[in-house]
Amino acid sequence: MSSPRFRTSRVPPLVLSLGALLGQAAPAAAGGQTPQAGPPAEAARPVFVDGQAQVVPAFEDPASWIRHDLWVETEFDSDGDGRPDRVHVDVTRPGQTDDGGLRVPVIYETSPYYSGTGSPSQQFFWDIRQEVGDAPPRRNPMPSITHQSRRPTISSSHVGQWVPRGFAVVHSQSPGTGLSQGCPTVGGDNESLAPKAVIDWLNGRARAFTAPEGGEEVEAYWSTGRVGMTGTSYNGTLPIAAATTGVEGLEAIIPIAPNTSYYHYYRSNGLVRSPGGWPGEDIDVLYDFINSGDPARRAYCAETVRDGEMAAGQDRVTGDYNEFWSGRDYLNDVDGVRAATLMAHAFNDWNVMPEHSYRIYEALARRGVPAQIYYHQGGHGGPPPLELMNRWFTRYLHGVENGVEQDPRAWIVREGAEPSEPTPYPDYPHPEARPVRLHPQAGGAGIGLLSTASPSGRQGTEELVDDVALDGAALAAAATSVNRLLYATAELARPVHVSGTPRVTVRLAADRPAANLSVWLVSLPWSDGAPITDNLITRGWADPQNHSSLTEGRPLVPGELYDVAFDLQPDDQIIPAGQRIGLMIFSSDRDFTLWPEPGTELTIDLDGTFLELPVVGGAAELARPVG
Ligand SMILES: [Ca+2]
Ligand SMILES: [Ca+2]
């Protein structure tokens, strides 16, 4: 099953129909600023076909565009100099906005990355070789970023895509980066209020100037005031940050692989846990990584932010949730969001994990804010198809009633399908998914059985010994191991469609007060040499000390059993017939957790341990006998 819309829209006739339409509109198209002969520029206007803004020849020539930069005055003073911080902004807009009286909506991206970033070398990250629950070793600060003056063009992203379609494109540099004043705060309030100020300016409610100090005032007379924001990763976080302010004029956002909570980025269920590919990264490392602003401000910013509130709040000892992290979790501010939100993420994004988009999508959908979600099966980043984005921005920025509100709410790229051909779902998770409880049976040092039927009789306890030298793939591939426990279903008689957020409950005891806990869901048999994503279904991590509270972990009493229940990362995947679904329980996850010395012993009580797997069609799909 695939979307008819995406099939038809890839067909050349779209271009032909556009040509035909432009032919009809020819007397009103093209302009004096373009090489083509034709009527005056002032007649050129955005053109829509099939509910999407089209490339208009009169808007296509970059030589006809107007580019300039300016500084918008914000409502905060984060660098402590007693004056409102000004943020650096660039604008690219069709020439007709000056010569033809045209007013256009705006596609806007803001980022802390436009003026260079710090070293990605791990020697400036936290050293993850430490015992769980201990104070971390001291971190080497990252070398300073060389300050760049980059104007008037901050970035050319989105310009080629949207200016020819009748939009202006605006960029701004996050506070404390590049030529923007203020301090970098990595999720602080000024990162939400800075784009709010830019949107206020685009609506005539804030002032802008030609210089960072003083300067002539600049007005956005060419703007309709309707703004859409997009961007990937950190640049996808900031549209959500802006939207939480409820600023008028921010009509639509398309966050791509956004981080929606710094706690969920750097911690997992009470545990210190690195983003995949960035071992030892933490919020203060990201501060150093984006700290490209005026060197004269850096001492004040380091003292108040990195060595101030971050040092006091980030807590790499317990990993618990606290007020510092709560203030950097956009779900806590989601009530303010009114912008129509098209989320995009990937189920194999192990850097910014797939829960980040789902938690916001779910909250917005529940509140009745227009929201859709697009998931593909790849890794970090990857926008929705242009058609989907175009319909979204056309509806909410140009106000064209294209019926996008009646579209399916969820778009899931099936395994092996092109990212441009998602399968429409009425919602995500698939509405027919039901939680199926699966129970482990003794034998996890090899592969014990995992079944929907409660085993008859007690299964008792089984043990594993932590060894961070072995990664999760090696542990899952091993026929037997003392370093993990693995339980798998019988071979599937038919494909099983998992859709949603699996949840595990692990009843465990440890031989010491603190331990890592990692859980992977895998598809077996393991294919050696294949990409890990061929066999990895999803995974999750938790701190057993947080078994009853995310904010107040308690040291474990060695030998005492605790029920640790937590969500794995959301997923949507079809496990082929003939495979077995495996639940692997282990301690340190080499690619994500801290690296304690090997030897921690975990005892798992199988009678209190189970998996709840969201399966489309429910338990019947798993309970069928083999063959
Ligand atoms: Ca200031
Ligand atoms: Ca903890």
Side-chain angles (χ1 to χ4, degrees):
M1 182 164 70
S2 173
S3 158
R5 172 167 309 118
F6 294 122
R7 290 224 170 111
T8 54
S9 60
R10 286 186 300 117
V11 171
L14 181 66
V15 177
L16 295 178
S17 64
L18 167 61
L21 196 140
L22 287 177
Q24 289 163 5
Q33 298 184 17
T34 66
Q36 297 100 323
E42 58 268 22
R45 289 294 179 267
V47 172
F48 306 97
V49 176
D50 293 341
Q52 296 179 52
Q54 303 297 317
V55 171
V56 175
F59 299 152
E60 256 191 309
D61 180 9
S64 71
W65 298 345
I66 297 163
R67 297 177 191 262
H68 54 113
D69 73 336
L70 51 107
W71 280 261
V72 166
E73 186 175 88
T74 68
E75 57 192 271
F76 54 83
D77 172 24
S78 63
D79 52 21
D81 67 356
R83 285 174 296 182
D85 299 345
R86 290 185 183 180
V87 292
H88 187 216
V89 174
D90 80 10
V91 174
T92 305
R93 51 190 169 90
Q96 291 81 355
T97 53
D98 267 1
D99 296 338
L102 179 66
R103 293 167 72 218
V104 289
V106 175
I107 304 295
Y108 170 32
E109 178 171 30
T110 183
S111 175
Y113 294 146
Y114 292 137
S115 284
T117 51
S119 168
S121 169
Q122 236 179 287
Q123 60 181 309
F124 308 119
F125 290 25
W126 291 89
D127 186 347
I128 57 176
R129 292 166 298 183
Q130 67 155 93
E131 294 306 304
V132 181
D134 279 4
R138 200 181 62 85
R139 179 172 81 85
N140 299 317
M142 201 177 279
S144 296
I145 302 171
T146 305
H147 185 58
Q148 303 174 8
S149 305
R150 186 173 173 176
R151 54 175 303 195
T153 302
I154 295 170
S155 169
S156 57
S157 70
H158 313 295
V159 167
Q161 186 123 294
W162 296 109
V163 177
R165 289 178 167 83
F167 298 82
V169 171
V170 164
H171 302 95
S172 74
Q173 301 189 285
S174 287
T177 73
L179 296 180
S180 285
Q181 299 174 343
C183 289
T185 58
V186 195
D189 287 346
N190 66 347
E191 283 189 359
S192 302
L193 294 172
K196 173 185 181 293
V198 173
I199 295 162
D200 280 335
W201 171 66
L202 290 165
N203 280 276
R205 300 186 298 260
R207 296 192 304 166
F209 301 90
T210 53
E213 314 281 348
E216 304 284 312
E217 200 163 338
V218 185
E219 289 183 4
Y221 53 84
W222 46 266
S223 160
T224 63
R226 299 174 78 87
V227 181
M229 292 184 73
T230 188
T232 297
S233 200
Y234 205 140
N235 307 1
T237 301
L238 296 172
I240 297 170
T244 61
T245 68
V247 59
E248 270 183 62
L250 181 56
E251 301 296 333
I253 59 174
I254 304 181
I256 301 162
N259 164 22
T260 64
S261 160
Y262 285 91
Y263 185 81
H264 293 75
Y265 189 52
Y266 292 120
R267 307 286 183 267
S268 228
N269 302 298
L271 200 65
V272 174
R273 192 267 295 136
S274 304
W278 301 90
E281 194 195 324
D282 209 325
I283 193 163
D284 59 330
V285 178
L286 188 51
Y287 173 96
D288 284 352
F289 192 71
I290 66 167
N291 187 22
S292 64
D294 182 350
R297 292 181 159 75
R298 291 186 192 179
Y300 175 88
C301 295
E303 185 186 331
T304 55
V305 181
R306 186 191 61 196
D307 306 331
E309 63 167 328
M310 284 182 180
Q314 70 184 117
D315 184 7
R316 279 184 74 84
V317 178
T318 75
D320 295 355
Y321 194 73
N322 58 24
E323 282 185 21
F324 169 79
W325 293 115
S326 166
R328 283 168 164 79
D329 179 346
Y330 294 105
L331 190 59
N332 295 330
D333 301 319
V334 78
D335 281 340
V337 178
R338 46 176 291 281
T341 302
L342 169 60
M343 310 287 299
H345 222 111
F347 288 121
N348 284 302
D349 186 345
W350 299 107
N351 175 0
V352 183
M353 299 197 190
E355 69 178 334
H356 281 272
S357 280
Y358 176 62
R359 60 206 296 277
I360 297 292
Y361 166 75
E362 189 273 335
L364 293 178
R366 194 150 32 86
R367 285 163 173 77
V369 177
Q372 290 184 13
I373 193 161
Y374 165 87
Y375 270 116
H376 65 87
Q377 303 285 343
H380 188 50
L386 178 58
E387 294 91 327
L388 217 56
M389 294 197 292
N390 194 333
R391 280 173 61 76
W392 204 253
F393 284 147
T394 294
R395 167 65 185 87
Y396 294 108
L397 304 190
H398 277 296
V400 173
E401 298 282 349
N402 59 14
V404 73
E405 303 94 323
Q406 278 75 51
D407 282 358
R409 303 182 62 90
W411 304 89
I412 311 295
V413 179
R414 236 0 339 118
E415 297 83 350
E418 292 297 320
S420 58
E421 295 200 355
T423 300
Y425 284 19
D427 203 353
Y428 175 81
H430 196 291
E432 288 164 30
R434 298 284 176 271
V436 176
R437 191 173 283 210
L438 293 159
H439 306 268
Q441 297 181 26
I447 303 179
L449 190 62
L450 185 67
S451 74
T452 51
S454 280
S456 53
R458 271 188 63 79
Q459 299 299 303
T461 61
E462 299 198 319
E463 292 184 356
L464 66 93
V465 182
D466 183 35
D467 187 353
V468 76
L470 301 165
D471 67 20
L475 293 173
T480 64
S481 172
V482 298
N483 303 119
R484 53 85 177 134
L485 294 168
L486 179 56
Y487 308 91
T489 64
E491 286 182 10
L492 303 175
R494 53 186 294 172
V496 168
H497 183 181
V498 174
S499 182
T501 302
R503 187 171 176 82
V504 289
T505 299
V506 181
R507 181 172 293 169
L508 65 75
D511 68 346
R512 60 197 70 193
N516 289 317
L517 175 61
S518 304
V519 169
W520 282 23
L521 283 192
V522 294
S523 173
L524 299 175
W526 196 269
S527 342
D528 288 321
I532 188 174
T533 49
D534 281 13
N535 290 95
L536 177 69
I537 300 173
T538 186
R539 49 192 170 189
W541 306 265
D543 183 351
Q545 290 192 345
N546 296 91
H547 59 90
S548 62
S549 165
L550 190 59
T551 54
E552 290 180 43
R554 296 267 175 80
L556 306 173
V557 177
E560 192 164 309
L561 288 167
Y562 302 93
D563 287 344
V564 187
F566 59 102
D567 289 345
L568 307 182
Q569 290 296 316
D571 196 20
D572 195 287
Q573 185 169 344
I574 294 175
I575 319 298
Q579 292 291 108
R580 306 174 66 186
I581 296 173
L583 168 69
M584 182 169 76
I585 301 168
F586 60 121
S587 182
S588 299
D589 188 333
R590 186 179 169 80
D591 296 327
F592 296 94
T593 65
L594 296 174
W595 288 16
E597 286 296 317
T600 299
E601 290 179 23
L602 296 186
T603 300
I604 310 298
D605 183 345
L606 298 183
D607 300 296
T609 297
F610 53 89
L611 165 70
E612 285 165 296
L613 187 67
V615 174
V616 175
E621 298 300 303
L622 269 164
R624 292 169 188 246
V626 178

